[in-house]
Amino acid sequence: CKIFGEDFIEQFKIKRPAAWVDLMIAFESRKRAAAPGRINPLNINLPFSFIDYYKKFRGHSVEHALRKSSVNFVKWSSQGMLRMNPDAMNALFKPTVDHIIQHLLNLFQKPEVSGLKFLFLVGGFAESPLLQQAIQSNLADKCRVIIPHDVGLTILKGAVLFGLDPTIIKVRRSPLTYGVGVLNRFVEGRHPTEKLLVKDGTRWC
């Protein structure tokens, strides 16, 4: 927004929604390449629709906007891409990473997790080397941090396995639960025997 203007960005999202999605996909793919110690700039492809619509909206090119902008961590490459300083990309992650670390540190102060020995890092954002390094450096003295193979697919795989076999999940923890007690006639072979309740000579589940 600082470079192209908030009014343009809002109009672009409305007028060119497909191109906006393409831009977000391009940014997402480069975002995953952000890592501590990276020195090479990150190139982000701009959809042609973005470049074309910006010229119609402002009357000058994207390259001209970048040259005139006070933002110095994003440049225009001769290949028609935005070239972002790796430190700038890392800075975009910092507020989110700091919030996650603080939340985890707060959780470790609770007596319920005093005996925690292992912490599994899973999910799409867990693929980020920045997050991995931050968690390992801040929590290594509290527990062992485990990052599974295909960390981004771990939750999806768990959901699929649970769908195929609900009994695969043996333990669940939830801060609050609610429900309504009901009794159905027990059906042999359909209801689990551990749920069998005999009341007044009638078998219930």
Side-chain angles (χ1 to χ4, degrees):
C1 290
K2 290 182 180 179
I3 299 172
F4 304 111
E6 188 173 346
D7 55 340
F8 166 74
I9 296 297
E10 290 300 320
Q11 282 299 308
F12 180 71
K13 287 193 285 188
I14 295 170
K15 300 292 186 181
R16 302 286 192 277
W20 173 255
V21 172
D22 290 340
L23 179 61
M24 291 297 98
I25 291 172
F27 184 78
E28 176 70 20
S29 66
R30 301 315 300 148
K31 195 170 70 171
R32 296 186 182 196
R38 183 187 175 101
I39 58 174
N40 297 326
L42 293 153
N43 294 324
I44 301 173
N45 289 311
L46 286 180
F48 174 77
S49 180
F50 183 96
I51 298 170
D52 180 61
Y53 188 69
Y54 183 81
K55 190 169 185 178
K56 291 177 180 177
F57 191 88
R58 294 290 189 209
H60 55 257
S61 67
V62 167
E63 184 178 1
H64 178 269
L66 287 164
R67 283 203 309 267
K68 295 295 183 181
S69 172
S70 60
V71 178
N72 57 9
F73 54 79
V74 179
K75 304 295 183 184
W76 180 254
S77 75
S78 57
Q79 290 80 25
M81 295 182 290
L82 293 180
R83 180 162 289 172
M84 180 174 282
N85 185 305
D87 291 335
M89 180 66 85
N90 294 351
L92 293 177
F93 283 92
K94 192 175 187 310
T96 303
V97 171
D98 289 348
H99 182 76
I100 291 172
I101 296 299
Q102 188 58 53
H103 180 64
L104 289 172
L105 291 174
N106 291 340
L107 288 177
F108 272 92
Q109 292 177 0
K110 295 181 180 294
E112 296 93 330
V113 296
S114 59
L116 188 68
K117 296 180 179 179
F118 302 98
L119 177 67
F120 288 86
L121 197 58
V122 298
F125 194 26
E127 294 179 354
S128 169
L130 294 171
L131 180 63
Q132 292 177 6
Q133 184 195 58
I135 288 180
Q136 288 173 330
S137 61
N138 284 277
L139 301 177
D141 61 329
K142 300 182 182 301
C143 66
R144 181 183 174 190
V145 179
I146 299 175
I147 305 172
H149 182 64
D150 290 335
V151 61
L153 296 176
T154 303
I155 294 176
L156 176 61
K157 288 180 178 177
V160 171
L161 290 171
F162 178 74
L164 294 173
D165 181 11
T167 63
I168 199 168
I169 307 297
K170 302 298 183 185
V171 178
R172 288 170 176 252
R173 290 293 300 273
S174 177
L176 296 171
T177 61
Y178 68 92
V180 178
V182 295
L183 289 176
N184 293 314
R185 289 297 182 99
F186 186 85
V187 178
E188 198 71 44
R190 177 180 162 189
H191 294 138
T193 54
E194 61 268 21
K195 300 288 186 180
L196 174 61
L197 172 66
V198 178
K199 187 175 181 181
D200 297 330
T202 305
R203 290 155 56 91
W204 300 94
C205 176

